[in-house]
Amino acid sequence: MDRMRELVDLLNRYGHEYYVLDAPTVSDREYDALYDELRALERESGVVLPDSPTRRVGGEPIKAFARHEHIARLYSLDKAVTEDELDAFFTRVEKTVGQVPYTVEYKFDGLTMCLTYENGVFVRATTRGNGAVGEDVTAQVLTIKSYPLSISYKGTLEVKGEAVIRLSVLEEYNKTAAEPLKNARNAAAGAIRNLDPAVTAARRPEILFYDVNYMSEGALFSQREAVEFLRREGFRTFPFLRLCATPEEVKAAIDEIEIERKRIDVLTDGAVVKVDPFSARDELGFTDKFPRWAIAYKFEAEEAVTTVRKVVWQVGRTGKLTPLALVEPVELAGATVRKATLNNLGDIRRKDVRVGSRVLIRRSNEVIPEILGAVEHTGKSMEIAPPAACPYCGAPVKEEGANLFCPNRACEPRIAAQLANFARKDAMDIEGFSEATATQLIRTLGVRHCSDLYFLDAEQLSSLEGWGEKKTQNLLAALERSKTVPLERFLLALGIGGVGKVASRDLAQRFLSVEALAAATEEQLVGMENIGEKTATDIRAWFSDPENAAEVARLFEAGVRPFMPQRQAAGAFAGESVVLTGTLSSMPRSRAQQEIEARGGTCQSAVTSKTTLVVAGEAAGSKLAKAQKLGVKIVGEEEFLRMLGQADA
Ligand SMILES: [Zn+2]
C-alpha cells in the first residue's frame, strides 16, 4: 500500500511537470514503467486510490449526460465591443468603489467548465450549461491531464476553466481524420460533449483555468490571488495576466492582446477585464445576469456562416484559374463580405463546397476572406463543375495537379494581372497604375507585355477616354521614376511562378544581377535555403523561354536598370524594426523602406510588440495611435531625414 501511494504521488508529480508546466523531468519510458507497476499493484489488490493517474482513462461510453446543479452559480460576463462601452463600465465601477486596480486576461473561445473538489480530491467535472445546471462530463474530463486529481486545499472547491483544443493539435488531428474539424471552438465543445470518452481523448483537449468559483472556507481571493492559488495547486493557467492601475493601462493591455493573440496557439475572441480586489467586487455585486465587477471585451468576429450563390473562375498572371465564390452578403469583422476565395479545384473537392451550400468563412490577412468548409448542404446544393474552356478566351483548359490553367498567353485578364503585378508598390512601384488601367491599355493600345508600357507616348495616352494632360503626364513620370529599381523588386515584378518577396530578396542577394540569375543552374538554385525544387524548375523554365528572354532584353532597352543597394549592417537603422505610416512628402513609402533596409533596419507592415521605431508622415492614422499606446519610439519626417543623413543642416 505504501508503494502504491508512493507511485501515485510520483506519477502525479511527473504528470504535472509534463502537462501543466511543459517541463518533463523523466523520459516517457521511465514514466510508463512506473505506471505499469502501479496498474499491476491495483489489479492485485483491487484498490485504486482516488487520485491514481490510472483513473485518467475515462472508461466506457455513457448513455447520456447526467444533469448537475452547480454549488454556486456560474455567471457569464457582460460584453463590450466598443471603447465607449468599455468606458461606461469603468464609469459604473468608479461611481461605486472609486479608482481600483483591474486585471486583464485573454478570453479563450472554447467550452466553459467547472471542476469540483472535496476533501482535497477531484470528484466531478461539469459544463457551465445555463449557469445553474450543467452536464456531468467527469468521464470525458478524466482523459484530460492539465489539472490535478488531488490538491492540498481540503474544503469544497469549484474552479472554472475553458476547455480548448490547441490550433496545432487541431491541425495535426485534421491531417489524418476521416472527418476534419473546421473550427477549434466547436471541436473543443464536441470533444467534451461526446458520450464516448475515447473520442474526447483522441481529440486531445485541455483546460486552461482562470478562476475560483466557490470555496467553502478560507479567505476570499482577488483575481490575482485566485490565479496564483490555481497555479500553486497544480492547475494549468495561461501565463498572461496584467494588473492595471488605470483604465488607460487596461486599454493598452487589451491592445497588446489583440496583437499577440494571432501568435498564440489557442483560439481567443477577446479580453476579460476584472476588478481585482475582493472587497471592491463584494461592494459591486451582481445584476440578475452578470457580475458588475467584470466585463468581456470582444474583438470583432473573424468567422461567419453564409450561403454560396455562384462560383466564377478568374485567370491570374500565370494563366491559373482561381475559383471565387460569390456569397450572400454577411457581416464579418466590421465589413460586408460578398466574395470568398477557394484556392483551386482540389480545395473545392476537399472542403466539399457546393453552390447553394452553407459555408464557414474566415477573415484572413488577404483582402478577400477564405472559405473553410461546408457547414451543411441543402436540397438545392449543386456540385461545382470545373470549366472545360477558359471563361474569357475560350481556350481549352489544362489540368495540372489540383490546378486548372488557361494556356493562352494572350488571354486578356492574364496580361492585365501581369501588368498589375509588374506595377505594384513592392515591385516597379508605378504610382496610379491599376488593373483597370491595364485592361484599358490592353483593349485600346494593344499592350501585350510589361515592356510595352515604356514605349507609350503622351499622344497615345491623352487620346484615351478619361485621360487628360495631368493623368498622362503623371503616368509617364511614374514610369520614368520606376526605371531605377532595386534588383529584388525587379525580380518580383517579372512574375515568375513561386517567386514572391522572400524568394526575390534571396535571389537578388545570391546572384546580384539578372544575367547571373538567368544563367544559374537548377543545382545552384535548389542549394538555396528558401528555394524548393518546384520553384527552381519554374525559374529555370522562365529564363529558358525565348519570349521571356526577349521581354527582359526589351525592358533593358527601354532603360530599366535594376541595381543592388549597398547594405550596411551597422547603419543608422541597425537592429531597428520600423513601421512607416502616413505620407512622406520627400519620397514614396517604397523608397523610404529601401533606405531603411540599406541602413540595416527591417520594415514591418503593422505595429507589434516587436516594433522599435515608427516613422509618421502626414495624416498618420491607427498605426500611430497603436504605437503611442504601446510606447514605441515615434519620429516625424524631418527627424527621419536627419537619420538618413539627407536633411539640410
Ligand atoms: Zn483564357
Side-chain angles (χ1 to χ4, degrees):
M1 204 64 184
D2 285 353
R3 177 59 182 161
M4 202 185 242
R5 182 72 255 165
E6 194 182 346
L7 285 169
V8 167
D9 288 344
L10 206 54
L11 287 165
N12 281 342
R13 198 185 93 208
Y14 293 152
H16 177 249
E17 287 167 351
Y18 187 92
Y19 292 104
V20 178
L21 305 178
D22 280 334
T25 57
V26 291
S27 68
D28 290 357
R29 261 182 74 177
E30 284 170 83
Y31 183 93
D32 291 345
L34 296 171
Y35 188 92
D36 291 343
E37 186 187 344
L38 175 64
R39 280 292 304 274
L41 281 175
E42 286 176 349
R43 263 197 301 268
E44 224 170 83
S45 61
V47 176
V48 177
L49 292 176
D51 58 342
S52 167
T54 63
R55 292 183 66 208
R56 299 238 194 224
V57 292
E60 296 297 307
I62 54 174
K63 291 260 182 319
F65 295 112
R67 283 158 50 88
H68 184 83
E69 212 165 306
H70 300 300
I71 301 176
R73 180 168 161 184
L74 270 75
Y75 282 89
S76 58
L77 296 184
D78 199 2
K79 288 171 189 62
V81 291
T82 65
E83 199 167 331
D84 285 350
E85 288 168 347
L86 200 56
D87 284 332
F89 166 73
F90 293 130
T91 308
R92 285 198 302 273
V93 167
E94 290 181 10
K95 260 189 194 155
T96 312
V97 296
Q99 197 167 29
V100 282
Y102 298 90
T103 57
V104 179
E105 294 163 88
Y106 277 83
K107 181 176 185 300
F108 296 108
D109 200 5
L111 183 70
T112 304
M113 306 291 310
C114 175
L115 270 63
T116 308
Y117 289 77
E118 276 162 15
N119 302 314
V121 177
F122 168 73
V123 291
R124 193 183 313 110
T126 47
T127 61
R128 179 180 170 276
N130 63 11
V133 178
E135 288 172 332
D136 189 323
V137 287
T138 307
Q140 287 70 19
V141 168
L142 269 171
T143 66
I144 301 173
K145 301 183 178 69
S146 60
Y147 63 92
L149 289 178
S150 60
I151 56 176
S152 68
Y153 179 81
K154 299 299 178 219
T156 300
L157 175 76
E158 284 197 344
V159 297
K160 253 167 109 171
E162 195 81 357
V164 298
I165 293 185
R166 289 191 179 262
L167 300 175
S168 56
V169 170
L170 188 71
E171 205 181 315
E172 199 59 37
Y173 177 87
N174 281 346
K175 273 183 194 161
T176 53
E179 223 176 295
L181 303 168
K182 287 175 204 89
N183 156 298
R185 176 195 33 224
N186 297 346
I192 303 289
R193 296 191 67 260
N194 194 298
L195 294 170
D196 185 356
V199 173
T200 314
R203 295 188 186 176
R204 292 165 56 210
E206 60 185 277
I207 305 178
L208 295 168
F209 293 87
Y210 56 83
D211 211 352
V212 171
N213 198 55
Y214 172 83
M215 51 202 309
S216 59
E217 54 210 64
L220 292 155
F221 291 141
S222 70
Q223 179 59 20
R224 213 166 23 132
E225 289 163 345
V227 172
E228 278 163 13
F229 168 81
L230 290 170
R231 285 180 190 157
R232 266 201 317 277
E233 289 286 11
F235 293 90
R236 182 153 199 154
T237 60
F238 194 73
F240 186 103
L241 184 143
R242 203 48 53 82
L243 189 67
C244 302
T246 62
E248 280 60 47
E249 282 183 36
V250 169
K251 287 178 196 172
I254 290 175
D255 280 347
E256 202 179 326
I257 286 180
E258 190 162 12
I259 294 166
E260 290 300 324
R261 74 189 184 112
K262 312 271 184 214
R263 290 190 235 271
I264 67 170
D265 198 18
V266 188
L267 194 65
T268 59
D269 61 351
V272 173
V273 181
K274 288 177 178 170
V275 169
D276 189 48
F278 180 77
S279 56
R281 286 192 189 188
D282 205 26
E283 211 176 322
L284 285 158
F286 296 82
T287 70
D288 56 346
K289 280 191 198 143
F290 311 116
R292 286 200 179 88
W293 40 264
I295 198 154
Y297 184 80
K298 295 260 280 185
F299 299 130
E300 284 167 335
E302 308 241 307
E303 290 180 359
V305 173
T306 185
T307 304
V308 178
R309 278 178 169 171
K310 194 180 168 186
V311 169
V312 295
W313 296 80
Q314 296 185 309
V315 181
R317 62 185 158 83
T318 58
K320 188 178 143 186
L321 292 175
T322 306
L324 179 73
L326 308 181
V327 299
E328 294 286 340
V330 61
E331 290 301 310
L332 182 63
T336 306
V337 169
R338 293 188 169 80
K339 299 184 258 191
T341 51
L342 286 156
N343 298 313
N344 51 41
L345 185 61
D347 200 38
I348 291 177
R349 288 177 180 153
R350 200 168 54 81
K351 291 173 177 170
D352 192 24
V353 174
R354 303 176 199 175
V355 172
S357 297
R358 306 271 295 157
V359 292
L360 184 69
I361 60 175
R362 177 186 292 164
R363 177 166 85 156
S364 64
N365 293 327
E366 307 300 324
V367 184
I368 303 176
E370 178 195 10
I371 293 188
L372 296 180
V375 175
E376 61 174 338
H377 299 305
T378 62
K380 288 184 219 143
S381 291
M382 282 185 329
E383 298 261 354
I384 297 164
C390 171
Y392 297 91
C393 69
V397 162
K398 281 200 305 185
E399 196 167 340
E400 274 177 38
N403 294 309
L404 299 173
F405 287 87
C406 167
N408 175 11
R409 278 178 176 252
C411 188
E412 183 186 293
R414 180 170 169 178
I415 299 173
Q418 277 167 2
L419 292 173
N421 173 72
F422 183 78
R424 61 190 252 204
K425 246 185 161 56
D426 41 12
M428 299 303 279
D429 193 15
I430 304 169
E431 227 169 298
F433 190 95
S434 65
E435 197 155 335
T437 314
T439 306
Q440 192 184 15
L441 298 183
I442 295 165
R443 288 185 187 167
T444 55
L445 301 178
V447 168
R448 287 287 169 272
H449 300 103
C450 299
S451 57
D452 293 346
L453 297 176
Y454 293 103
F455 295 92
L456 297 172
D457 60 33
E459 203 182 324
Q460 285 174 303
L461 287 171
S462 55
S463 71
L464 300 178
E465 202 186 317
W467 286 67
E469 175 75 8
K470 186 146 185 276
K471 191 170 175 181
T472 300
Q473 288 311 323
N474 283 348
L475 180 61
L476 290 174
L479 282 163
E480 196 54 41
R481 271 200 307 274
S482 74
K483 287 180 181 172
T484 306
V485 58
L487 178 60
E488 62 179 77
R489 286 175 32 202
F490 180 74
L491 297 180
L492 185 66
L494 291 179
I496 304 167
V499 178
K501 272 169 104 160
V502 174
S504 302
R505 178 169 305 195
D506 290 356
L507 289 168
Q509 279 168 1
R510 168 73 175 75
F511 294 101
L512 305 173
S513 72
V514 182
E515 294 80 359
L517 174 59
T521 64
E522 213 159 309
E523 202 176 4
Q524 282 175 313
L525 292 167
V526 174
M528 293 175 60
E529 198 181 346
N530 293 317
I531 306 286
E533 261 173 56
K534 170 89 173 71
T535 307
T537 311
D538 286 351
I539 295 170
R540 277 303 325 135
W542 198 92
F543 283 103
S544 313
D545 184 319
E547 264 193 63
N548 293 333
E551 169 70 356
V552 171
R554 199 143 174 271
L555 284 167
F556 287 174
E557 187 196 320
V560 174
R561 294 280 172 272
F563 70 95
M564 241 352 251
Q566 291 303 309
R567 239 167 212 280
Q568 302 170 352
F573 292 91
E576 302 270 19
S577 292
V578 188
V579 172
L580 292 157
T581 177
T583 315
L584 299 174
S585 61
S586 55
M587 63 184 86
R589 195 180 283 188
S590 56
R591 168 80 189 285
Q593 281 174 349
Q594 186 189 320
E595 299 284 356
I596 290 166
E597 287 173 357
R599 287 165 181 77
T602 19
C603 291
Q604 303 172 304
S605 56
V607 176
T608 70
S609 59
K610 308 270 187 300
T611 308
T612 58
L613 181 72
V614 168
V615 178
E618 275 302 302
S622 63
K623 286 180 192 172
L624 179 60
K626 194 138 271 183
Q628 284 163 339
K629 278 187 181 170
L630 292 178
V632 176
K633 185 181 172 194
I634 298 162
V635 297
E637 180 160 5
E638 218 172 298
E639 173 67 18
F640 174 60
L641 291 177
R642 239 194 307 279
M643 293 174 83
L644 292 181
Q646 288 184 355
D648 300 334

